[in-house]
Amino acid sequence: MPYKILSLDGGGSWAIIQLLTLKYKYGNVNGHEILRDFDMIIANSGGSIALAALAENWTIDKAITLFDKKEIREQVFHKNGFKDRFFPIDYIRLFKGFGPKYSSPKKGKAFKNLFPELDKRQMNELPKFIGKESLKLIICTYDALNNRAKFFKSYGNGVSYDSIKLTQAIHGSSNAPIQYFDFPARFKAKNSEIFYELWDGALGGFNNPVTAGVIEAMKEGVELDKIKVISIGTGNKLMSNDDKKRFFQVKQITQKERRKKLRFWRLKYQIEYFTKTILNQATTILYEPPDWANYVAYMFLLKNGEKDIEQRLIRMSPMIHTSRESSTEIKILIEKLYQLDMDLTEDKDIELLKECFQKWSTDEIFNQPIDFRVERNNDLTYLIGDKNFSNAIKKW
């Protein structure tokens, strides 16, 4: 019998794409029906919130409202007012828009209110609640006190096992720092006096947790050639040509004029370069290079069966990128998608994500490959994986 793993990337509001993908595959069914179709589910950040909606046994349509309804989005992304922000962030955000802007404690309360059934139960009780006692659930977080990745599981024993609620785990997993949430998610495991202080699992390199899922299955004694994986992303961005040109232009001006300290009217370029560099590094940490985890999981699974490897590891995620093949309509849409961050609370932005899914599902936006090469003309050469949604969904 195959051992089926579902892996859900992080990505904030972009996780609506994962739920739309599941609806395309299963229809508007209850969440437990989908979860019982798998043996292991591993998720991070936005993907963990999608998992929570399924574990609460919401229908797919109801789960989509997590991101589709403005009042629910704003419960999760609860903006701090000026008096609630801490120094110096309160002043930096006022003038430069840099630094965290959402309340971590209020996000934690929102999850308790949104998912009351999950908040009644410890994670180890969820497989029975879902109706498949062998099911294994894993949530990725980052332990801020020990500077290392931390996984919370619905199984295990002894020192490797922490009995917590899924509402607590997803609070930690979705707690992106730097530009998003202000403080680590704080809570205790059951029968423990030690508090966890947690950030988003992406900080440990697990925004795409697919490799961790394969390794966890191996640890449980599953043979590699029995593992089948569906890895669903939230849209993977490469830098647009315009952003590349602008970054190079500002960098050149900054290098040329860095010693001209009194030309205050030209400092805007140095400030822009500094800000872009810091933000690029911050988002790289949270998104991680989009092909790393998929490729490593592929190499693990390749060991025991080259013939069926691309039937056993299916990657599904829109590639936010244009090439010479892209139509004018798609290029305009992609440019708009490039401008979207993870923390989308406006209806117009969510509509763009739904349009992204629609164009991806009709093969007008390409699917993210497992391995690829970016050519000098910005085209992609697909090396491993499915170029189109239709190919990937057919394999699934």
Side-chain angles (χ1 to χ4, degrees), residues 41-72:
I41 299 151
I42 184 166
N44 183 61
S45 197
S48 76
I49 301 173
L51 170 58
L54 301 180
E56 186 75 9
N57 206 27
W58 288 4
T59 64
I60 287 288
D61 279 348
K62 185 175 180 182
I64 288 169
T65 65
L66 277 170
F67 307 103
D68 204 16
K69 280 196 173 180
K70 186 177 177 69
E71 58 267 31
I72 298 180

Coordinates of all heavy atoms in Angstrom, one line a residue, residues 41-72:
I41 N 0.2 14.5 7.2 CA 0.1 15.9 6.7 C 1.0 16.7 7.5 O 1.0 16.8 8.7 CB -1.4 16.4 6.8 CG1 -2.3 15.5 6.0 CG2 -1.5 17.8 6.3 CD1 -3.7 15.4 6.6
I42 N 1.9 17.4 6.7 CA 2.8 18.4 7.3 C 2.6 19.7 6.7 O 2.4 19.9 5.5 CB 4.3 17.9 7.1 CG1 5.3 18.8 7.8 CG2 4.6 17.8 5.6 CD1 6.7 18.2 8.0
A43 N 2.6 20.8 7.6 CA 2.2 22.1 7.1 C 3.0 23.2 7.9 O 3.5 23.0 9.0 CB 0.7 22.3 7.3
N44 N 3.1 24.3 7.2 CA 3.8 25.5 7.8 C 3.0 26.7 7.5 O 2.3 26.9 6.5 CB 5.2 25.7 7.2 CG 5.9 26.9 7.9 OD1 6.1 26.8 9.1 ND2 6.2 27.9 7.2
S45 N 2.9 27.6 8.5 CA 2.4 29.0 8.4 C 1.0 29.0 7.8 O 0.0 28.4 8.3 CB 3.4 29.8 7.6 OG 3.1 31.2 7.8
G46 N 0.8 29.7 6.6 CA -0.5 29.7 6.0 C -1.1 28.4 5.7 O -2.3 28.1 5.8
G47 N -0.2 27.4 5.3 CA -0.6 26.0 5.1 C -1.2 25.4 6.3 O -2.1 24.6 6.3
S48 N -0.6 25.7 7.5 CA -1.1 25.2 8.8 C -2.4 25.7 9.1 O -3.3 25.0 9.7 CB -0.1 25.4 9.9 OG -0.1 26.8 10.3
I49 N -2.7 27.0 8.7 CA -4.1 27.5 9.0 C -5.1 26.8 8.1 O -6.2 26.5 8.5 CB -4.1 29.0 8.7 CG1 -3.1 29.8 9.6 CG2 -5.5 29.6 8.9 CD1 -2.9 31.2 9.3
A50 N -4.7 26.5 6.8 CA -5.6 25.8 6.0 C -5.9 24.4 6.5 O -7.0 23.9 6.5 CB -5.0 25.7 4.6
L51 N -4.8 23.8 7.1 CA -4.9 22.4 7.7 C -5.9 22.5 8.9 O -6.7 21.6 9.1 CB -3.6 21.9 8.1 CG -3.6 20.7 9.0 CD1 -4.3 19.5 8.4 CD2 -2.1 20.3 9.4
A52 N -5.8 23.6 9.7 CA -6.7 23.7 10.9 C -8.1 23.8 10.5 O -9.0 23.2 11.1 CB -6.3 25.0 11.7
A53 N -8.4 24.5 9.4 CA -9.8 24.6 8.9 C -10.3 23.2 8.5 O -11.5 22.8 8.8 CB -9.9 25.5 7.7
L54 N -9.5 22.4 7.9 CA -9.9 21.0 7.5 C -10.0 20.1 8.7 O -11.0 19.3 8.8 CB -8.8 20.4 6.6 CG -8.5 21.2 5.2 CD1 -7.5 20.4 4.4 CD2 -9.8 21.3 4.4
A55 N -9.1 20.3 9.7 CA -9.2 19.5 10.9 C -10.4 19.9 11.8 O -11.0 19.1 12.5 CB -7.9 19.7 11.7
E56 N -10.9 21.1 11.7 CA -12.1 21.6 12.3 C -13.3 21.0 11.7 O -14.4 21.1 12.2 CB -12.2 23.1 12.3 CG -13.3 23.7 13.1 CD -13.1 23.7 14.6 OE1 -12.0 23.4 15.1 OE2 -14.1 24.1 15.3
N57 N -13.1 20.4 10.5 CA -14.1 19.7 9.7 C -15.0 20.7 9.0 O -16.2 20.5 8.7 CB -15.0 18.7 10.4 CG -15.6 17.6 9.5 OD1 -15.0 17.3 8.5 ND2 -16.7 17.1 9.9
W58 N -14.5 21.9 8.6 CA -15.2 22.8 7.8 C -15.3 22.3 6.4 O -14.4 21.5 6.0 CB -14.5 24.2 7.7 CG -14.6 25.0 9.0 CD1 -15.2 24.6 10.2 CD2 -14.0 26.3 9.2 NE1 -15.0 25.7 11.1 CE2 -14.3 26.7 10.5 CE3 -13.3 27.2 8.4 CZ2 -13.9 27.9 11.0 CZ3 -12.9 28.4 8.9 CH2 -13.2 28.8 10.2
T59 N -16.3 22.7 5.6 CA -16.3 22.4 4.2 C -15.2 23.2 3.6 O -14.7 24.2 4.1 CB -17.7 22.8 3.6 OG1 -17.8 24.2 3.7 CG2 -18.8 22.0 4.2
I60 N -14.8 22.8 2.4 CA -13.8 23.6 1.6 C -14.3 25.0 1.4 O -13.5 26.0 1.6 CB -13.5 22.9 0.3 CG1 -12.6 21.7 0.5 CG2 -12.7 23.9 -0.6 CD1 -11.2 21.9 1.0
D61 N -15.5 25.2 1.1 CA -16.0 26.6 0.8 C -15.9 27.4 2.1 O -15.6 28.6 2.0 CB -17.5 26.5 0.3 CG -17.6 26.3 -1.1 OD1 -16.6 26.3 -1.8 OD2 -18.7 26.0 -1.6
K62 N -16.2 26.8 3.3 CA -16.1 27.6 4.5 C -14.7 27.8 4.8 O -14.3 28.9 5.3 CB -16.8 26.8 5.7 CG -16.8 27.6 7.0 CD -17.5 26.9 8.1 CE -17.5 27.7 9.4 NZ -18.2 27.0 10.5
A63 N -13.8 26.9 4.6 CA -12.4 27.1 4.8 C -11.8 28.2 4.0 O -11.0 29.0 4.4 CB -11.6 25.8 4.5
I64 N -12.3 28.4 2.7 CA -11.9 29.5 1.9 C -12.2 30.8 2.5 O -11.5 31.8 2.2 CB -12.5 29.3 0.5 CG1 -11.8 28.1 -0.2 CG2 -12.3 30.5 -0.4 CD1 -12.5 27.6 -1.5
T65 N -13.3 30.9 3.3 CA -13.6 32.2 3.9 C -12.6 32.7 4.9 O -12.6 33.9 5.2 CB -15.0 32.1 4.6 OG1 -14.9 31.2 5.7 CG2 -16.1 31.6 3.7
L66 N -11.7 31.8 5.3 CA -10.6 32.3 6.2 C -9.8 33.4 5.5 O -9.3 34.3 6.2 CB -9.6 31.1 6.5 CG -10.0 30.1 7.6 CD1 -9.0 28.9 7.6 CD2 -9.9 30.8 9.0
F67 N -9.7 33.3 4.2 CA -8.9 34.3 3.5 C -9.8 35.1 2.6 O -9.4 36.2 2.2 CB -7.9 33.5 2.6 CG -7.0 32.6 3.4 CD1 -7.2 31.2 3.3 CD2 -6.0 33.1 4.2 CE1 -6.4 30.3 4.1 CE2 -5.2 32.2 4.9 CZ -5.4 30.8 4.9
D68 N -11.0 34.7 2.3 CA -11.9 35.4 1.4 C -12.7 36.4 2.1 O -13.2 37.4 1.5 CB -12.8 34.4 0.7 CG -13.3 34.9 -0.6 OD1 -12.8 35.8 -1.1 OD2 -14.3 34.3 -1.1
K69 N -12.9 36.3 3.4 CA -13.7 37.3 4.2 C -12.8 38.2 4.9 O -12.0 37.8 5.8 CB -14.6 36.5 5.2 CG -15.9 36.0 4.6 CD -16.9 35.6 5.6 CE -18.2 35.2 5.0 NZ -19.3 34.8 6.0
K70 N -13.0 39.5 4.6 CA -12.2 40.5 5.2 C -12.2 40.5 6.7 O -11.1 40.7 7.4 CB -12.6 41.9 4.7 CG -11.7 43.1 5.1 CD -12.2 44.4 4.4 CE -11.4 45.6 4.9 NZ -10.0 45.5 4.3
E71 N -13.4 40.3 7.3 CA -13.4 40.4 8.8 C -12.6 39.2 9.5 O -12.1 39.4 10.5 CB -14.9 40.4 9.3 CG -15.7 39.2 8.9 CD -16.5 39.4 7.6 OE1 -16.0 40.2 6.7 OE2 -17.6 38.8 7.5
I72 N -12.6 38.1 8.8 CA -11.8 37.0 9.3 C -10.3 37.3 9.1 O -9.5 37.0 10.0 CB -12.2 35.6 8.7 CG1 -13.6 35.3 9.0 CG2 -11.3 34.5 9.2 CD1 -14.1 34.0 8.4

